[in-house]
Amino acid sequence: MKLSKGVLPLLHDRDALQLPAANCFSLPERVLQFGTGVLLRGLPDFFIDKANKQGIFNGRVVVVKSTSRGTTAEFDNQDNLYTQCIRGVEGGKKVQMDIVNASISRVLTASTQWDQILACAASADMQVVISNTTEVGIAYVEENVLQGVPSSFPGKLLAFLYQRYQHFNGSADSGMVIVPTELLPDNGLLLKNIVGQLAAYNQLPASFIQWLTTHNHFCNSLVDSIIPGAADIDCGYEDQLLIMSEAYRLWAIESGSERVREILSFAAADSGVVITPDINVFRELKLRQLNGAHTLSCGIAALAGIETVKAAMSNEAMAAYIEGLLLHEIIPAITDSNIRQDAAVRFAAAVQDRFRNPYIDHKWLSICGNFTSKLKTRVVPILLRYEQRMHQVPALIALGFAAHLLFMKQEHGLPVDDSFASYYKKLWQEHELPEVVKISLANSEHWGTDLSALPGFSRTVTNMLQALIREGVNAYLERVAAEIIIS
């Protein structure tokens, strides 16, 4: 039995399965979505479907498949329905929930159905654009957007907006709310600038550019949820589009406009959608606590033979290291007038819940990819702020750097995916351990600053690196963890 509209009546006796209401299939199309991937289906489309079930947003999504690879057959065969299985940990308790999502009305392929996509611009109901075209998707490509199908996402968006401008004669209320979810800082502003630049290149009328910049709202946004995608879960029916996602979910959208709030009414359905004039707090919490803890822990865990993040949380020493890192070093470094202590502590608890998720196999070796650059962007700012505020060496952060150097020695038999791998291999071949530490930390090209200049940091990293080699990673980690627990 394959999931479709026809089988929904047969599923009503399943209490654990949330089903769409019958009237959801007649709701108007209000969202144009660029991208068919699991992140969009597992987060924005989840919020829209939840709002529709509550009678709040009352709108469906037209999805644009931008690439010519593959087909839309899986969506067509299932009437665009799919199951989302939410699995995770919240407040230390397991969460398990299954939902049939009916937010998508159609999936159109840009290369063959471009006229149908442009026709959506003439709909007064259509008010929102969402995208996730990967980070490389928001890029400037000089192209004629009025002849054929533009190759780039900004080109497609510009063609759609120009079609809408012409149909509605540039009326103020025909402007769209555009929310990219690509993982780029200031993604909305970046997209707006590229679309504006492309409009100038295409010599579009000044009146259109005025409408584009004045009546369309390009919102920066941040998404945060682990959505592995397909999962081996038996729902009692066949679903080729089934996805799994963790329980934690956040879509922070930057806007102070009441019109944006009104249009994005689905935000009222779930606390995971936050519309606020400034999303930098959410970005900083995610980057420093979630990503920072991942990066500082990955080398230690990999060298200790701990394969997955959830396995690390079952290892008493590793779990103590992660908790100590979050509470005693990262939080003191990042809290300020913008990030409150209580908010940071709550987020740290959520991070540990997410790390404990028994349903997701997040491998430490994959987190070790681009290890050096991740330390630079995610951790160095924490290190510098901690030293500036506390005037002492953050020992657990120092251990993360020591493990990074040992990992980059490349004598452990594990694969190393790092653009600086050859640099470190040569460094270890040509120098003794103390010089390896000093030269590496002094490399401002790697870190953006001379970390060897921080009082005591080089000495602490050296001592810890020597201890990791002398005692073994697991034994030294247990000794460090015992000190954390005692303190």
Side-chain angles (χ1 to χ4, degrees):
M1 179 171 64
K2 184 188 289 289
L3 180 63
S4 66
K5 288 182 188 178
V7 306
L8 289 180
L10 304 178
L11 304 177
H12 275 286
D13 60 343
R14 306 189 186 196
D15 295 334
L17 186 63
Q18 295 184 22
L19 297 173
N23 68 343
C24 75
F25 298 104
S26 61
L27 294 175
E29 295 174 337
R30 297 184 61 188
V31 180
L32 186 68
Q33 174 176 299
F34 288 86
T36 61
V38 295
L39 187 142
L40 289 173
R41 291 197 287 125
L43 203 61
D45 295 345
F46 163 81
F47 293 128
I48 291 170
D49 180 72
K50 184 174 182 178
N52 288 341
K53 285 182 168 77
Q54 296 178 17
I56 296 175
F57 182 65
N58 297 321
R60 302 187 79 197
V61 182
V62 177
V63 175
V64 176
K65 183 178 179 296
S66 294
T67 65
S68 57
R69 296 191 303 273
T71 70
T72 63
E74 291 177 338
F75 289 92
D76 299 336
N77 294 339
Q78 296 186 185
D79 298 318
N80 302 303
L81 297 171
Y82 63 93
T83 310
Q84 182 172 353
C85 301
I86 298 175
R87 302 287 188 271
V89 176
E90 282 185 324
K93 298 180 180 179
K94 288 185 179 181
V95 175
Q96 184 170 331
M97 183 167 51
D98 297 335
I99 300 162
V100 173
N101 190 307
S103 62
I104 297 174
S105 61
R106 292 183 287 165
V107 179
L108 302 175
T109 302
S111 60
T112 59
Q113 297 172 298
W114 185 236
D115 288 344
Q116 294 180 52
I117 294 167
L118 288 181
C120 293
S123 169
D125 293 316
M126 188 68 66
Q127 293 181 300
V128 182
V129 174
I130 301 170
S131 71
N132 192 283
T133 56
T134 76
E135 289 82 295
V136 298
I138 301 184
Y140 178 70
V141 176
E142 287 191 351
E143 57 182 334
N144 187 329
V145 303
L146 303 181
Q147 292 183 358
V149 184
S151 63
S152 68
F153 160 55
K156 293 181 177 71
L157 177 59
L158 176 58
F160 174 86
L161 292 174
Y162 188 58
Q163 184 84 0
R164 187 170 181 83
Y165 163 81
Q166 291 179 306
H167 182 83
F168 290 102
N169 298 313
S171 65
D173 59 0
S174 64
M176 304 285 289
V177 174
I178 301 156
V179 191
T181 67
E182 289 82 356
L183 295 176
L184 293 167
D186 298 324
N187 46 17
L189 180 60
L190 177 63
L191 180 59
K192 180 179 181 178
N193 290 338
I194 291 175
V195 170
Q197 184 181 1
L198 193 54
Y201 173 78
N202 279 265
Q203 300 181 334
L204 298 180
S207 57
F208 164 73
I209 294 177
Q210 175 70 18
W211 175 84
L212 174 69
T213 57
T214 304
H215 301 302
N216 291 271
H217 300 267
F218 289 77
C219 303
N220 297 327
S221 88
L222 172 72
V223 290
D224 185 9
S225 186
I226 298 172
I227 305 172
D232 186 16
I233 298 175
D234 183 8
C235 293
Y237 53 83
E238 182 184 350
D239 183 354
Q240 294 183 329
L241 297 171
L242 181 146
I243 60 173
M244 183 177 77
S245 61
E246 67 169 337
Y248 181 88
R249 53 193 177 271
L250 172 69
W251 189 13
I253 301 170
E254 190 169 88
S255 178
S257 166
E258 285 304 315
R259 174 167 169 76
V260 169
R261 288 181 175 275
E262 179 183 341
I263 291 174
L264 303 183
S265 60
F266 55 76
D270 193 282
S271 60
V273 186
V274 180
I275 302 176
T276 177
D278 187 357
I279 64 170
N280 284 324
V281 168
F282 298 98
R283 186 179 304 282
E284 191 72 359
L285 286 171
K286 176 181 183 292
L287 183 63
R288 305 308 171 199
Q289 293 203 72
L290 178 71
N291 301 135
H294 264 155
T295 302
L296 283 164
S297 305
C298 67
I300 302 169
L303 292 168
I306 302 171
E307 185 177 1
T308 64
V309 175
K310 67 181 180 184
M313 300 307 289
S314 299
N315 180 299
E316 184 177 351
M318 196 69 212
Y321 172 80
I322 291 170
E323 182 177 25
L325 184 64
L326 287 165
L327 298 181
H328 303 317
E329 295 188 358
I330 295 179
I331 288 179
I334 66 173
T335 48
D336 54 22
S337 59
N338 294 316
I339 301 178
R340 289 169 30 183
Q341 175 81 12
D342 58 341
V345 170
R346 284 196 303 272
F347 194 86
V351 165
Q352 292 174 83
D353 277 346
R354 298 171 74 181
F355 283 11
R356 291 188 184 96
N357 192 338
Y359 303 101
I360 295 178
D361 291 321
H362 200 176
K363 298 188 183 304
W364 285 113
L365 273 179
S366 67
I367 299 172
C368 286
N370 298 311
F371 200 166
T372 307
S373 62
K374 286 178 180 176
L375 277 174
K376 177 182 178 181
T377 57
R378 300 174 176 182
V379 176
V380 168
I382 303 172
L383 169 61
L384 297 178
R385 287 184 215 168
Y386 186 95
E387 193 280 331
Q388 183 181 38
R389 291 181 177 184
M390 312 301 288
H391 305 292
Q392 62 186 40
V393 176
L396 302 179
I397 292 176
L399 178 55
F401 274 84
H404 166 259
L405 287 172
L406 185 56
F407 185 84
M408 299 306 292
K409 191 177 182 182
Q410 300 167 65
E411 292 184 349
H412 41 62
L414 300 171
V416 176
D417 179 17
D418 191 293
S419 58
F420 296 102
S422 59
Y423 164 85
Y424 281 105
K425 191 168 188 177
K426 183 178 180 182
L427 192 64
W428 274 103
Q429 290 172 343
E430 296 181 352
H431 299 277
E432 296 298 319
L433 186 150
E435 286 74 31
V436 168
V437 175
K438 184 176 180 180
I439 294 170
S440 169
L441 295 182
N443 192 328
S444 57
E445 180 184 348
H446 285 189
W447 313 120
T449 187
D450 181 357
L451 297 182
S452 70
L454 295 177
F457 188 64
S458 183
R459 182 177 64 255
T460 302
V461 172
T462 299
N463 292 340
M464 288 182 162
L465 181 53
Q466 289 172 332
L468 286 169
I469 295 173
R470 181 178 62 253
E471 300 178 31
V473 175
N474 282 289
Y476 184 62
L477 178 61
E478 288 177 6
R479 182 154 69 86
V480 170
E483 294 174 2
I484 295 171
I485 295 169
I486 291 172
S487 62

